[in-house]
Amino acid sequence: MNALVLQSDFGLDDGAVSAMRGVALGVRSDLQIHDVTHNIPPYQIWEGSYRLAQVVDFWPKGTVFVSVVDPGVGSDRLSVVAKLKTGHYVVTPNNGTLTHLHLFHGVEELRQIDEEKNRREGSAHSYTFHGRDIYAYTGARLAAGVITWEEVGPKIPQEKMVLLEVDKPQIADGTVKGNIDTHDVRYGSLWTSIPRTLFAELNIKYGDYVRMTIRYQGQVAHSARMVYEPSFAHVEIGESLVYVNSLDRIAVAINRGSYAKAFSLGAGKAWHVEFRKDS
């Protein structure tokens, strides 16, 4: 039996998450159920996609993730389960949630959920809570070994997998460019799409200064000069720095402050960032 890990934009103010857990335990009462988060901002598929990619690789192979950020519930969007190249499974609407998982880890195979067989009994006329009636139920059955991977439903070509548009980080003329993928939610750091290995091609060493420019929808929203250091403790309180985050990507922070709030910066595809060495 494998663990079941839940993620949603439901929050914890009502019984939605509890209902999902109850359905899963109804499949098998000793099933291990855990959470990524239920505080994905409402309808923000990009954020849900990134948070899954942030944690999947730290869970044992065979773990089944259920992610429900589903503004299109009740539409013709497909319900799918992805088998990742890492050996994990993800149950989710086919609406872009698999984007960063595919980018970071790779999707090996995709199956459409057979909703005739893998749906909570008595829910056939309910169209607004697939997270409970289909995804938690199917995820629990797969994690508990009640169904095999093949019994999820028919295999579908990866070309049918909906992916959000993502800009590939690039380097040219002494400048590395990427996106602000997300924020470190609690502390306000900016997490970029730029891998440490690509940034290293600028030959910037700890203690060197970097010029950062952020553009939103093509217009300069912020520019600053700061030091590149391994951790927050290497700068004074209130001072900014560039560093490598826990996903081995370049990030920006204020020691004991929120960079995002300080300069009213967002995240996502419309937010572009670039770095170059500064004297």
Side-chain angles (χ1 to χ4, degrees), residues 22-73:
V23 166
L25 289 174
V27 171
R28 181 158 173 168
S29 61
D30 59 347
L31 186 65
Q32 294 184 45
I33 306 176
H34 307 274
D35 301 289
V36 179
T37 179
H38 295 288
N39 289 323
I40 299 296
Y43 319 121
Q44 296 300 308
I45 298 169
W46 177 285
E47 185 76 3
S49 169
Y50 194 92
R51 294 304 170 193
L52 277 179
Q54 181 183 348
V55 303
V56 158
D57 210 26
F58 299 102
W59 286 83
K61 290 181 180 180
T63 299
V64 178
F65 292 81
V66 171
S67 181
V68 190
V69 183
D70 193 15
V73 64

Side-chain angles (χ1 to χ4, degrees), residues 42-247:
Y43 319 121
Q44 296 300 308
I45 298 169
W46 177 285
E47 185 76 3
S49 169
Y50 194 92
R51 294 304 170 193
L52 277 179
Q54 181 183 348
V55 303
V56 158
D57 210 26
F58 299 102
W59 286 83
K61 290 181 180 180
T63 299
V64 178
F65 292 81
V66 171
S67 181
V68 190
V69 183
D70 193 15
V73 64
S75 69
D76 60 356
R77 61 97 184 94
L78 299 181
S79 298
V80 299
V81 183
K83 182 180 181 181
L84 305 183
K85 292 180 180 180
T86 55
H88 303 88
Y89 299 90
V90 182
V91 185
T92 187
N94 185 34
N95 61 6
T97 300
L98 296 170
T99 300
H100 289 93
L101 288 168
H102 187 55
L103 185 65
F104 291 4
H105 307 297
V107 171
E108 182 176 299
E109 193 171 292
L110 194 68
R111 290 184 178 271
Q112 182 177 349
I113 296 175
D114 183 340
E115 297 184 12
E116 294 293 323
K117 298 178 180 178
N118 295 308
R119 186 182 184 116
R120 183 179 67 86
E121 186 177 356
S123 68
H125 299 290
S126 176
Y127 301 101
T128 60
F129 201 173
H130 289 175
R132 176 195 65 194
D133 299 332
I134 298 173
Y135 301 140
Y137 183 70
T138 301
R141 282 160 62 83
L142 184 60
V146 175
I147 58 172
T148 65
W149 166 237
E150 290 75 18
E151 290 173 319
V152 165
K155 182 179 177 180
I156 58 176
Q158 288 202 25
E159 291 75 22
K160 285 193 174 184
M161 180 168 55
V162 175
L163 298 174
L164 304 175
E165 188 176 351
V166 177
D167 295 324
K168 184 178 180 180
Q170 55 185 308
I171 187 169
D173 301 323
T175 300
V176 63
K177 299 180 180 181
N179 289 98
I180 302 174
D181 269 345
T182 192
H183 296 161
D184 184 337
V185 175
R186 189 167 181 83
Y187 302 107
S189 304
L190 312 180
W191 285 15
T192 82
S193 63
I194 300 169
R196 172 189 53 81
T197 51
L198 188 63
F199 183 82
E201 294 183 26
L202 296 179
N203 197 32
I204 296 173
K205 309 298 183 184
Y206 291 139
D208 289 347
Y209 278 84
V210 175
R211 170 61 61 178
M212 176 184 71
T213 302
I214 295 173
R215 291 181 170 84
Y216 176 64
Q217 296 183 339
Q219 301 297 316
V220 174
H222 178 67
S223 182
R225 178 180 183 267
M226 65 193 73
V227 68
Y228 174 54
E229 292 287 7
S231 68
F232 313 113
H234 287 78
V235 301
E236 298 293 330
I237 294 174
E239 187 177 351
S240 302
L241 74 153
V242 176
Y243 67 103
V244 178
N245 70 10
S246 57
L247 297 182

